[in-house]
């Protein structure tokens, strides 16, 4: 199939049969055929409208009803979330719920209606523009990006003011074409029959892309001039692997599409046969594939797919979307059930990884941090809230009597943090045994390496841990100073940066030298295109989303570890991203031949 036109050519790309062909970045694999539903970028174009003083109270009530309706809509969607969606979508819904309760937003709206006196719609526009100026004046890229969340919330309120809630009906068999997509929309759109999404902006490494992959919903992002080239009702064939969109496909294109579907179905059948197969390379080296989880459903799926254990069990979901902190008994039962669900395989419980960047109604996190990504989060928050940390540690210790539990500390940056938690853990173990509780004799204790300082100074605290887990999502963005959700620097955020690979190799080498196992639990561990690269660097333990486990197992079984590691020096000598990509292409070709 022909690709895009040559640089300098003005002719649009075409398929072999002549249909228009657009190209973007494939963000979530899969093929889909459907009608285009074009959604233009949200713009709050409301003309200035003043009201009579006698109408003020009625207008205030109309605004408050719209806010309440938007809040109820988000609460209803939040209640329907299950498993991994609780984390990926729930965090955004919780953030939007907090924005709906923001006194600055609501008080400003009320004042505009009273003093204008303005209509609710115009007050909403004025207040939105005021807050946009505040966001634009911020230096921090993360906080600037929160303007998108504010626009999403204001758009919901405005829709209910107009008595037309967001249109998600009649979408069955359609492909949404829009400027960008919020993570909080994805599950709802899929539930109403959307078969794929194409966006003009966005990144293949954004939260929306990660969620789309977990939903197995085809997604193509960053398509130039998308909204000018596709009209409502056009038929689209999309390929989330290649990032190509065929507009109004002709009969030969439809035959190609059906062939891809047959190939996709065949591939899924082949993957299904790998459920009971070992994760072993061609040269007979066993590679551990563990699953990331945070719910019973995730644990069940991981067990059924033959995961070697849970490499990351998130505990934040116990703390989100509630007004009180979970007590020891509730946490104990949750961790115990995870241990029982894995039937003796290791379960790695990550202690609370919560910060001001995640919505929290319990008052546990700070609400006014200027840069939450660099603030009081992870192990820092646990040490700042010792009673909360002790409750969680006691629950994990009690659950250790029911299976092979491991404890993992997030956001570690110093030796002192590791020592402080180890002391608290030992103290709580002594107290529990004195109270008559059964506690495992030894619980492996590990640290997440996601702060560059921890990676560089690993020698200074590696003697305190039994294992390590590299959180590449945060490590990459901290190392490269590039927020993966900020489109302006989206091209800079890439795990295929020479500095990233060299730091990963350093961590893995240090772990080997000290006899400390090292896993990778970030997004790249579940990307089969990255499997050979990680094997070459020396990784033998992957922790990934259950939905990608079989694909990574296939990549492992198709690889010769000795050959890959022999080629590692050339990989680490690469000077730019393209050189690394060429190494990956060559490695893939050599391993297949």
């Amino acid at each position: 199939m022909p690709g895009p036109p040559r640089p300098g050519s003005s002719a649009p790309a075409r398929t072999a049969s002549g249909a228009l062909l657009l190209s973007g970045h494939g963000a979530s694999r899969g093929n889909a055929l459907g009608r285009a539903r074009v959604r233009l970028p949200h713009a709050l174009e409301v003309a200035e409208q003043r009201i009579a003083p006698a109408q003020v109270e009625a207008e205030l009530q109309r605004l408050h009803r719209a806010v309440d309706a938007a809040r109820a809509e988000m609460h209803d969607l939040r209640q329907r979330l299950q498993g991994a969606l609780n984390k990926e979508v729930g965090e955004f819904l919780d953030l939007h719920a907090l924005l709906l309760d923001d006194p600055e937003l609501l008080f400003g709206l009320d004042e505009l209606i009273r003093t204008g006196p303005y209509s609710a719609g115009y007050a909403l526009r004025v207040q939105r523009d005021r807050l946009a100026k505040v966001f634009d004046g911020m230096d921090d890229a993360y906080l600037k990006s929160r303007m998108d969340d504010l626009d999403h919330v204001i758009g919901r309120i405005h829709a209910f003011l107009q008595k037309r809630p967001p249109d998600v009906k009649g979408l069955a068999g359609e492909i949404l074409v829009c400027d960008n997509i919020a993570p909080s929309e994805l599950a709802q759109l899929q539930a109403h029959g959307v078969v794929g999404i194409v966006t003009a902006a966005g990144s293949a490494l954004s939260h929306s892309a990660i969620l789309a992959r977990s939903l197995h919903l085809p997604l193509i992002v960053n398509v130039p001039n998308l909204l000018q080239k596709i009209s409502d009702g056009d038929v689209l064939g999309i390929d989330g692997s290649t990032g190509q969109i065929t507009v109004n496909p002709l009969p030969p294109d439809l035959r190609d599409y059906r062939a891809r579907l047959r190939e996709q179905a065949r591939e899924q059948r082949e993957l299904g046969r790998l459920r009971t197969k070992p994760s072993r390379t061609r040269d007979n080296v066993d590679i551990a594939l563990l699953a990331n989880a945070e719910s019973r459903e995730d644990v069940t799926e991981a067990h059924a797919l033959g995961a070697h254990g849970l490499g990351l069990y998130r505990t934040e979901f116990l703390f989100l979307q509630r007004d009180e902190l979970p007590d020891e008994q509730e946490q104990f039962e949750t961790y115990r059930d995870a241990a029982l669900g894995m039937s003796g395989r290791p379960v790695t419980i990550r202690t609370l990884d919560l910060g001001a960047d995640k919505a929290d109604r319990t008052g546990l996190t700070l609400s006014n941090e200027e840069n939450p990504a660099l603030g009081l989060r992870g192990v820092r928050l646990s040490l700042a809230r010792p009673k909360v940390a002790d409750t969680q540690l006691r629950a994990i210790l009690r659950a250790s009597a029911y299976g092979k539990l491991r404890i993992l500390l997030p956001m570690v940056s110093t030796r002192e943090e590791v020592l402080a938690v180890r002391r608290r853990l030992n103290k709580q173990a002594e107290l529990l045994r004195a109270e008559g509780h059964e506690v495992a004799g030894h619980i492996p204790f590990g640290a997440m390496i996601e702060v560059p300082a921890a990676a560089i100074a690993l020698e200074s605290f590696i003697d305190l841990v039994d294992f390590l887990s590299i959180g590449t999502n945060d490590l990459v963005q901290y190392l490269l100073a590039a927020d993966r959700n900020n489109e302006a620097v989206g091209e800079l955020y890439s795990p295929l940066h020479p500095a990233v690979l060299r730091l990963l190799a350093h961590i893995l080498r240090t772990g080997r030298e000290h006899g400390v196992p090292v896993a990778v639990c970030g997004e790249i561990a579940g990307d089969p295109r990255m499997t050979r690269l990680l094997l070459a660097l020396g990784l033998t333990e992957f922790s990934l989303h259950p939905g990608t486990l079989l694909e990574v197992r296939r990549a492992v079984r198709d690889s010769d570890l000795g050959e890959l590691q022999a080629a590692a020096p050339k990989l680490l000598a690469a000077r730019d991203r393209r050189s690394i990509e060429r190494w990956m292409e060559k490695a893939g070709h050599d391993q297949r031949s």
Side-chain angles (χ1 to χ4, degrees):
M1 184 177 289
R6 294 185 303 275
S9 169
S10 59
R14 300 280 174 180
T15 67
S17 62
L20 178 64
L21 183 67
L22 305 180
S23 294
H25 295 162
S28 177
R29 285 175 291 169
N31 292 276
L33 181 70
R35 299 181 307 279
R37 172 72 69 96
V38 177
R39 187 178 73 184
L40 297 176
H42 172 72
L44 202 61
E45 298 295 341
V46 181
E48 180 176 343
Q49 183 180 2
R50 295 182 183 269
I51 59 175
Q55 296 176 288
V56 167
E57 288 306 316
E59 197 68 2
L60 284 169
Q61 290 179 20
R62 191 166 79 90
L63 171 68
H64 296 163
R65 284 195 299 270
V67 171
D68 289 343
R71 190 181 290 119
E73 177 194 46
M74 278 183 269
H75 176 74
D76 178 60
L77 178 56
R78 187 67 169 87
Q79 295 300 109
R80 297 201 305 269
L81 296 179
Q82 299 292 329
L85 297 186
N86 265 315
K87 178 176 189 295
E88 300 293 357
V89 184
E91 289 176 10
F92 287 85
L93 289 175
D94 292 342
L95 176 60
H96 293 176
L98 284 179
L99 287 171
L100 280 169
D101 291 330
D102 185 352
E104 186 172 355
L105 172 63
L106 300 178
F107 179 76
L109 288 170
D110 284 2
E111 281 299 295
L112 284 166
I113 292 174
R114 292 183 191 280
T115 59
Y118 293 124
S119 68
Y122 187 66
L124 197 62
R125 174 185 168 180
V126 171
Q127 184 67 349
R128 184 263 173 211
D129 292 345
R130 282 179 179 174
L131 294 173
K133 288 181 180 178
V134 174
F135 278 87
D136 286 342
M138 293 177 175
D139 293 328
D140 184 78
Y142 175 84
L143 293 176
K144 272 188 175 181
S145 70
R146 297 281 68 83
M147 190 61 216
D148 292 338
D149 295 298
L150 183 63
D151 274 337
H152 193 75
V153 167
I154 287 175
R156 286 172 181 262
I157 298 172
H158 187 251
F160 280 106
L161 272 176
Q162 303 302 113
K163 295 187 177 179
R164 51 176 182 82
D167 183 14
V168 294
K169 295 181 179 178
L171 292 174
E174 297 196 336
I175 293 172
L176 180 65
V177 177
C178 56
D179 183 59
N180 212 339
I181 191 75
S184 53
E185 297 179 88
L186 286 172
Q188 190 178 27
L189 288 167
Q190 188 184 52
H192 283 85
V194 166
V195 295
I197 297 174
V198 183
T199 67
S203 162
L205 297 165
S206 68
H207 282 290
S208 294
I210 293 171
L211 179 58
R213 290 193 285 273
S214 71
L215 292 170
H216 303 289
L217 182 66
L219 170 65
I220 298 174
V221 301
N222 207 11
V223 183
N225 303 314
L226 174 70
L227 299 177
Q228 289 76 46
K229 293 182 178 179
I230 294 180
S231 302
D232 217 43
D234 282 344
V235 173
L236 306 180
I238 68 173
D239 187 335
S241 297
T242 64
Q244 293 193 327
I245 305 118
T246 305
V247 183
N248 294 318
L250 297 169
D253 304 310
L254 294 174
R255 285 195 293 273
D256 289 344
Y257 171 76
R258 288 195 297 273
R260 287 199 304 274
L261 285 186
R262 288 193 297 269
E263 177 61 22
Q264 189 173 306
R266 185 191 65 78
E267 181 178 343
Q268 289 303 312
R269 288 193 299 271
E270 286 187 359
L271 285 174
R273 298 188 187 104
L274 295 179
R275 286 174 177 264
T276 58
K277 301 291 185 182
S279 303
R280 184 175 296 145
T281 64
R282 290 207 311 253
D283 49 344
N284 293 315
V285 179
D286 286 320
I287 303 298
L289 299 186
L290 302 102
N292 299 338
E294 65 173 42
S295 68
R296 288 186 179 183
E297 292 82 3
D298 293 341
V299 174
T300 300
E301 185 179 5
H303 190 287
L305 292 171
H308 293 85
L310 299 183
L312 176 65
Y313 188 81
R314 302 182 182 96
T315 60
E316 299 77 60
F317 76 98
L318 286 168
F319 292 76
L320 296 171
Q321 190 63 17
R322 58 192 299 163
D323 298 316
E324 73 291 329
L325 294 170
D327 61 20
E328 180 183 322
Q329 185 63 22
E330 180 183 354
Q331 292 191 61
F332 157 68
E333 291 174 359
T334 300
Y335 308 148
R336 177 202 63 193
D337 291 349
L340 292 172
M342 290 308 294
S343 305
R345 287 172 251 182
V347 173
T348 309
I349 306 289
R350 183 177 69 184
T351 58
L352 183 61
D353 189 16
L354 200 62
D357 56 332
K358 297 182 174 72
D360 166 49
R361 299 203 309 232
T362 65
L364 179 61
T365 63
L366 300 180
S367 59
N368 58 349
E369 286 191 297
E370 291 188 3
N371 193 339
L374 302 180
L376 193 66
R377 53 169 293 200
V379 69
R380 304 169 182 180
L381 181 66
S382 293
L383 291 174
R385 306 285 189 270
K387 290 184 178 178
V388 176
D390 287 349
T391 298
Q392 182 168 48
L393 292 174
R394 284 174 61 89
I396 297 171
L397 287 164
R398 288 173 57 193
S400 70
Y402 295 84
K404 294 180 180 178
L405 289 194
R406 308 194 303 176
I407 295 176
L408 179 62
L409 297 186
M411 199 69 181
V412 166
S413 57
T414 70
R415 178 182 179 87
E416 289 79 10
E417 290 166 339
V418 181
L419 273 172
V421 177
R422 287 209 76 132
R423 291 191 191 106
R424 304 197 75 87
L425 181 69
N426 293 336
K427 179 182 177 181
Q428 293 306 320
E430 289 176 11
L431 290 172
L432 284 168
R433 291 189 179 105
E435 294 168 16
H437 290 285
E438 180 67 24
V439 175
H442 174 67
I443 303 175
F445 185 82
M448 280 195 77
I449 306 301
E450 46 197 334
V451 177
I456 295 167
L458 185 53
E459 294 267 6
S460 69
F461 65 85
I462 197 168
D463 60 303
L464 299 177
V465 298
D466 300 297
F467 67 98
L468 297 166
S469 189
I470 307 173
T472 51
N473 296 354
D474 276 336
L475 183 62
V476 171
Q477 68 176 353
Y478 289 145
L479 183 64
L480 302 180
D483 180 358
R484 62 189 170 125
N485 292 307
N486 184 339
E487 290 175 31
V489 295
E491 285 300 311
L492 294 176
Y493 177 94
S494 170
L496 299 182
H497 189 291
V500 173
L501 299 194
R502 290 167 197 169
L503 194 58
L504 289 177
H506 163 72
I507 299 167
L508 291 164
R509 183 172 58 252
T510 304
R512 284 194 305 273
E513 290 171 353
H514 289 266
V516 175
V518 182
V520 167
C521 65
E523 185 72 9
I524 64 173
D527 185 345
R529 295 168 298 184
M530 296 288 290
T531 301
R532 292 190 177 99
L533 180 148
L534 293 171
L535 289 172
L537 294 179
L539 184 69
T540 58
E541 188 172 308
F542 295 66
S543 185
L544 40 83
H545 188 282
T548 62
L549 191 146
L550 294 180
E551 291 178 86
V552 172
R553 178 173 289 158
R554 180 174 61 185
V556 166
R557 290 171 60 86
D558 288 344
S559 298
D560 185 298
L561 186 61
E563 290 181 4
L564 288 171
Q565 293 186 345
K570 187 171 183 180
L571 171 64
L572 292 172
R575 300 170 67 177
D576 54 37
R577 177 174 174 171
R578 183 63 194 122
S579 299
I580 294 169
E581 289 172 341
R582 283 196 294 268
W583 184 96
M584 293 171 67
E585 291 165 6
K586 184 176 186 304
H589 177 269
D590 292 347
Q591 295 281 294
R592 286 191 296 270
S593 60

